[in-house]
Amino acid sequence: MLFTRLWFLTAIVTLIKFVVSEEDFLPPNSWENKEFKKTIEVSNSFTTENLELTIINIDSEPVTQYFLPIPTDLLPKISMFTAAYMSEESFIQCMLVPGVHTLADGTKISYGVIQFESPVAPGEEIALLAKIHLAVTGTPFPEEIGMDDTQSLALDVNRYPISPYLSKTASVDVAGAEDFTELTPAESDDESGILLTGQFKYGPFHNVPPFTSSWAKVSYPVDYPLITVTDLKRDIWISHWAHTAEFQEYYEIVNQGAKLKNGFSRVEFMKRVQRTEGKGGNFIGVLGLSMTENSTDAYVTDKVGKVSSVMREEDKLLLKPRFPVFGGWFYNFTVGWTNTLDDFLHTSNTEQDAFVIALPVLNGPPDTIYRNAEVSVILPEGAEVIDVGSPLPFANATVSREYSYFDLADGHAKLTFYYSNLISELGSGELVVKYKLNANSLYQKALYISYYVFGALMTLFVLINLNLNIK
C-alpha cells in the first residue's frame, strides 16, 4: 500500500542516464543480507522488481550507503527507483552511481545506491522495501504465431538476487501470469524453479556468496497487446483570454507482441472476434485514452482524417483504430481536448501578477511504455517564466518561441521537456510552471487588434468618401 499510494508524492524518483566510467568497481563489504526476497512482476507491459530486504551493518563503523547491483544494459531502461523503510511511510534517497563490475559469467553490472539520511550504527538491523520499474518486458517466444495462437513471452531471470554482500536467505519469485515454463535447465536440482499458483519460485537459498549468478529463461502466456509509444508529442496551450487549457497529443505507437506467422486475413480475424466475443488477443482492437477530468470538446484524427469510431466514457476515450494492430504493426493518431483553467491554475500568494499552473505529465493509454515523450507548455503571449518543476528527471529541456494567430512580435513562451523510457504509471506526476503575466500583457493583444481594426475601418471610410472625380 505504501508504494501504490505514496511513491508519486516523493521527489526521490530516479531516471538517470550516464556513461559508466569506473571499471571493476566493488562496494565496501559493510552489510550482510539477513533476508533478500526479490519479486519480478510481469503482469504489465513493463517489468517491476520488488525487493524486500532485511540488512545488518557488519562493519566496525557507521555506514550511510547500501548498494544494489543492476545489469548495465538495463540501466538506461529504468523508469523509477525508490526505497523506503518497512516500518515507516518515509522514502529514502536513491540514485544510480558510476561503476561497472563483470561477474564470472560475463554479465556486466552497475549499481543503484540507497543513501540513508543518518549513518547506520554497527550491528544495527534495518528492514527496507525497494522498487525498480523497468521500461522493458519479455520478448515474444516464439517470435511469430498464428492468429488463433496464444502469445508467450520469454524473460531472462537470475535465479539469485544478485548482491555484493553475503545473503543468509535469498529467493526470487516471478509473478503475474497464469503459468510459467523454465526454458533453461538448471545445473542442479537446488537451482530449479518451483511452479506455484500465479508465480514461479527460485529458492529459498541459504548463505549465498556475494555476486552469485545463474541465469534462466522463463516463458509465460500473455493474452494482451504490448503497447509501446515510440514518440509522443504533447502540447498544452494556456489561454487567459479564453480561460482554457487546450491539450493536443500526437502518438506513434507499435505493438511489441509476437508477429503474425501467416499474414493477416480479415475473414479469419472476424471469425476469431465472433468466437471469443472480442475478448483477449495480442492485437490492439480498442485503445483506451485517459484525459484530464472535466474535459470537453474531445476529438481524434489520424493521417486519413477524423476518426469516427470513438466512444467517450467519462474522462476516457475508447478509440477503435481503422485496423487491428497486431505484433510489429504501427499506428499513429492525434487526440485533443479542452479544460478550463480553473482545473489547473492558481494565483501566487507571494508575488503580484504571478500564476502557478500544475499539469499532468502524461495521460494516454494505460499499461504503456513511452520511449520518447516531448511535453510542451505554451504560455500566453507576454508571459514571463519564473520557475519550473518536473516530478521526473528529463533528458533535456528547452525554452523557445511559438507563434499563433494575431501574435505580436515576441510570440508565446514555449517550455519543452524531453523524457525517455517512461511508463504510464508515472503519468500522475504534475509538471509545475510559475510565470508572471501582468495586466498590460494580458490586454495588449486586444488593444493592438482593436487599434489595427479601427485603423483599417477608418482607412476604408476615408477611401469611400474620397472624391476622385476630375472636373
Side-chain angles (χ1 to χ4, degrees):
M1 183 64 70
L2 173 64
F3 282 103
T4 57
R5 290 191 292 113
L6 294 178
W7 68 262
F8 58 90
L9 297 177
T10 180
I12 310 170
V13 175
T14 304
L15 176 64
I16 302 176
K17 290 186 176 181
F18 50 78
V19 178
V20 177
S21 57
E22 188 173 348
E23 294 292 334
D24 203 25
F25 171 77
L26 287 174
N29 188 25
S30 303
W31 298 94
E32 180 181 272
N33 299 321
K34 182 178 178 180
E35 184 175 2
F36 191 162
K37 181 180 179 181
K38 179 178 181 178
T39 302
I40 304 173
E41 181 63 47
V42 296
S43 59
N44 298 301
S45 294
F46 48 87
T47 306
T48 303
E49 295 185 356
N50 299 302
L51 311 178
E52 299 179 29
L53 294 156
T54 303
I55 60 177
I56 302 173
N57 179 7
I58 60 173
D59 206 329
S60 58
E61 299 179 353
V63 181
T64 58
Q65 293 180 334
Y66 179 89
F67 288 84
L68 282 170
I70 300 172
T72 302
D73 59 342
L74 293 180
L75 212 61
K77 302 297 179 64
I78 293 179
S79 292
M80 182 179 68
F81 173 30
T82 60
Y85 296 104
M86 277 192 188
S87 58
E88 307 174 21
E89 291 193 346
S90 60
F91 283 80
I92 312 170
Q93 183 178 359
C94 300
M95 65 190 76
L96 304 178
V97 297
V100 174
H101 178 65
T102 303
L103 303 181
D105 61 2
T107 303
K108 292 185 179 295
I109 59 170
S110 297
Y111 299 93
V113 63
I114 299 174
Q115 180 76 42
F116 300 105
E117 293 183 3
S118 57
V120 180
E124 185 176 350
E125 180 177 305
I126 297 178
L128 301 174
L129 291 170
K131 196 167 191 174
I132 302 175
H133 281 295
L134 296 165
V136 294
T137 187
T139 56
F141 182 83
E143 295 183 359
E144 296 182 348
I145 60 175
M147 192 174 296
D148 289 332
D149 295 340
T150 300
Q151 172 182 252
S152 291
L153 302 181
L155 184 69
D156 291 325
V157 177
N158 202 306
R159 295 180 173 94
Y160 299 90
I162 305 177
S163 175
Y165 316 110
L166 173 69
S167 298
K168 287 294 186 179
T169 304
S171 63
V172 173
D173 294 348
V174 186
E178 295 180 355
D179 190 22
F180 294 93
T181 303
E182 189 174 25
L183 304 176
T184 308
E187 295 182 357
S188 65
D189 293 339
D190 294 339
E191 290 187 345
S192 296
I194 302 173
L195 180 62
L196 303 175
T197 303
Q199 64 177 347
F200 197 72
K201 186 178 184 64
Y202 291 101
F205 305 105
H206 301 285
N207 296 319
V208 180
F211 297 111
T212 300
S213 175
S214 175
W215 288 95
K217 191 179 288 292
V218 177
S219 70
Y220 51 94
V222 173
D223 196 27
Y224 53 82
L226 305 178
I227 304 173
T228 296
V229 176
T230 56
D231 287 287
L232 166 65
K233 188 177 185 300
R234 175 176 167 93
D235 293 338
I236 308 172
W237 286 81
I238 307 301
S239 173
H240 280 239
W241 268 105
H243 202 65
T244 58
E246 296 185 2
F247 293 78
Q248 180 172 293
E249 301 178 326
Y250 171 71
Y251 287 87
E252 290 187 358
I253 66 173
V254 61
N255 184 355
Q256 299 279 24
K259 300 178 181 178
L260 289 176
K261 179 167 56 178
N262 300 317
F264 176 72
S265 169
R266 174 67 69 175
V267 174
E268 294 299 322
F269 174 71
M270 294 305 298
K271 289 181 180 178
R272 185 196 189 286
V273 172
Q274 292 178 355
R275 185 170 59 255
T276 61
E277 297 181 351
K279 299 178 181 179
N282 70 323
F283 60 90
I284 304 175
V286 176
L287 195 61
L289 304 171
S290 65
M291 301 180 294
T292 50
E293 294 182 1
N294 306 316
S295 57
T296 59
D297 304 327
Y299 64 90
V300 180
T301 62
D302 58 16
K303 299 293 185 182
V304 178
K306 182 179 178 180
V307 180
S308 58
S309 54
V310 178
M311 183 174 66
R312 176 161 187 165
E313 291 184 355
E314 297 181 348
D315 295 318
K316 179 183 290 186
L317 288 179
L318 300 179
L319 165 63
K320 184 177 181 180
R322 297 183 187 273
F323 53 88
V325 183
F326 282 89
W329 291 16
F330 295 82
Y331 185 62
N332 54 63
F333 61 92
T334 299
V335 59
W337 65 89
T338 302
N339 278 82
T340 63
L341 277 185
D342 294 333
D343 296 329
F344 313 106
L345 190 67
H346 307 276
T347 303
S348 175
N349 296 325
T350 58
E351 297 183 51
Q352 187 178 4
D353 298 327
F355 301 89
V356 178
I357 191 163
L359 302 159
V361 176
L362 298 174
N363 288 109
D367 193 12
T368 301
I369 294 174
Y370 293 80
R371 290 295 174 215
N372 298 289
E374 178 183 326
V375 181
S376 298
V377 180
I378 300 97
L379 298 175
E381 189 175 15
E384 176 186 349
V385 179
I386 300 175
D387 197 7
V388 296
S390 172
L392 309 171
F394 40 84
N396 191 21
T398 61
V399 180
S400 59
R401 292 289 171 180
E402 184 82 7
Y403 293 91
S404 183
Y405 299 107
F406 296 111
D407 280 352
L408 304 178
D410 293 336
H412 300 254
K414 180 180 181 181
L415 308 175
T416 304
F417 299 85
Y418 299 89
Y419 301 94
S420 60
N421 291 315
L422 298 182
I423 58 176
S424 51
E425 284 196 4
L426 300 177
S428 58
E430 290 185 333
L431 189 65
V432 180
V433 180
K434 184 178 182 180
Y435 61 94
K436 181 176 289 187
L437 183 67
N438 56 41
N440 292 336
S441 299
L442 182 61
Y443 296 110
Q444 189 177 25
K445 176 179 286 191
L447 292 174
Y448 268 88
I449 294 174
S450 300
Y451 171 78
Y452 286 121
V453 171
F454 178 76
L457 291 175
M458 288 300 298
T459 302
L460 179 62
F461 176 78
V462 171
L463 290 175
I464 290 176
N465 290 278
L466 186 63
N467 188 355
L468 298 177
N469 293 331
I470 299 175
K471 294 183 179 180

